[in-house]
Amino acid sequence: EAGVTQFPSHSVIEKGQTVTLRCDPISGHDNLYWYRRVMGKEIKFLLHFVKESKQDESGMPNNRFLAERTGGTYSTLKVQPAELEDSGVYFCASSQAAARVGTQYFGPGTRLLVL
Amino acid sequence: GNSVTQMEGPVTLSEEAFLTINCTYTATGYPSLFWYVQYPGEGLQLLLKATKADDKGSNKGFEATYRKETTSFHLEKGSVQVSDSAVYFCALSPFSSGSARQLTFGSGTQLTVLP
């Protein structure tokens, strides 16, 4: 079974540009999460999809971040325009629908550097 | 709100030394507790978990016991190996009546094991 995949693995962009990150969850996982780790600090929650619906987006830092999950499969996270403080590692995770304490399976992350 | 406080790193040990990484949490109710590990160049992997008080999670020689009285979930291993060198994250998921919830992470502890 394929794990959670993320693309790209690294991205270097200039301030003001746009970047789109993609996450493919494990097949059949309805829950999809985005997290990020900035400057070696703790990993922070961004948002949670259940299928194609946003269940919780309380961690999204501002309106420069837009997440979508069309069709309830893969998800994209767009940052537009990117700022220096957006640099960090963006993780995606997925879990099964019915498990209350479902293990979240993480992807390898996308390392974003904004110059 | 929920929070996780984790032992500051980095931690450097010699092979076969005893490892403890402290983790304490603040949460309402009865959260589930996790340790995730990130090996160099890889994504986060679940190391072990515990879902109720006094549960002990174990995997790959690592153990952690859910202590509600001290709100702790310390990670231990009796004899570390060079291959255990990684970043370790303590995390919690709040109690839920049925649906999945986001993880709250500690800041991570970098472990380096020297031969």
Side-chain angles (χ1 to χ4, degrees):
Chain A
E1 179 183 274
V4 177
T5 57
Q6 292 187 245
F7 181 84
S9 58
H10 296 79
S11 181
V12 181
I13 61 173
E14 293 187 350
K15 175 182 173 182
Q17 290 186 320
T18 297
V19 63
T20 300
L21 313 181
R22 173 171 169 144
C23 169
D24 286 77
I26 293 172
S27 178
H29 281 192
D30 288 345
N31 293 293
L32 187 150
Y33 306 81
W34 284 99
Y35 296 85
R36 73 172 179 177
R37 190 182 191 205
V38 173
M39 293 292 291
K41 296 183 179 178
E42 68 269 22
I43 299 168
K44 288 198 172 181
F45 166 78
L46 295 178
L47 87 160
H48 170 204
F49 284 99
V50 177
K51 297 184 180 179
E52 67 274 12
S53 300
K54 291 176 184 175
Q55 179 79 10
D56 182 355
E57 52 184 329
S58 60
M60 294 288 263
N62 51 60
N63 59 10
R64 296 186 293 103
F65 289 74
L66 174 65
E68 295 180 327
R69 193 183 182 194
T70 306
T73 54
Y74 72 91
S75 175
T76 58
L77 179 65
K78 180 190 288 188
V79 185
Q80 179 183 30
E83 299 290 344
L84 299 179
E85 63 265 25
D86 300 331
S87 297
V89 182
Y90 290 75
F91 293 102
C92 175
S94 71
S95 70
Q96 291 181 324
R100 179 179 83 82
V101 194
T103 296
Q104 293 187 24
Y105 296 89
F106 281 77
T110 294
R111 284 151 183 79
L112 174 64
L113 178 60
V114 182
L115 301 176
Chain B
N2 300 323
S3 67
V4 175
T5 302
Q6 197 175 330
M7 176 177 171
E8 291 282 334
V11 174
T12 302
L13 295 174
S14 297
E15 205 164 25
E16 299 183 3
F18 184 85
L19 169 71
T20 300
I21 300 177
N22 290 336
C23 172
T24 57
Y25 68 90
T26 301
T28 54
Y30 300 90
S32 294
L33 302 174
F34 305 83
W35 277 99
Y36 279 84
V37 58
Q38 185 179 22
Y39 297 104
E42 298 184 14
L44 290 166
Q45 300 175 25
L46 178 67
L47 181 59
L48 52 85
K49 68 181 181 183
T51 59
K52 61 183 187 294
D54 300 326
D55 265 4
K56 178 186 283 188
S58 61
N59 186 25
K60 299 181 179 180
F62 291 88
E63 293 183 339
T65 301
Y66 188 146
R67 300 287 188 201
K68 186 163 178 61
E69 63 277 13
T70 55
T71 61
S72 65
F73 194 55
H74 305 321
L75 182 68
E76 297 182 336
K77 186 173 185 181
S79 176
V80 294
Q81 305 301 312
V82 173
S83 57
D84 294 327
S85 298
V87 182
Y88 292 80
F89 294 92
C90 186
L92 71 80
S93 178
F95 174 79
S96 167
S97 61
S99 58
R101 289 288 185 266
Q102 70 200 58
L103 292 168
T104 297
F105 285 90
S107 56
T109 301
Q110 172 74 55
L111 171 66
T112 300
V113 181
L114 302 176

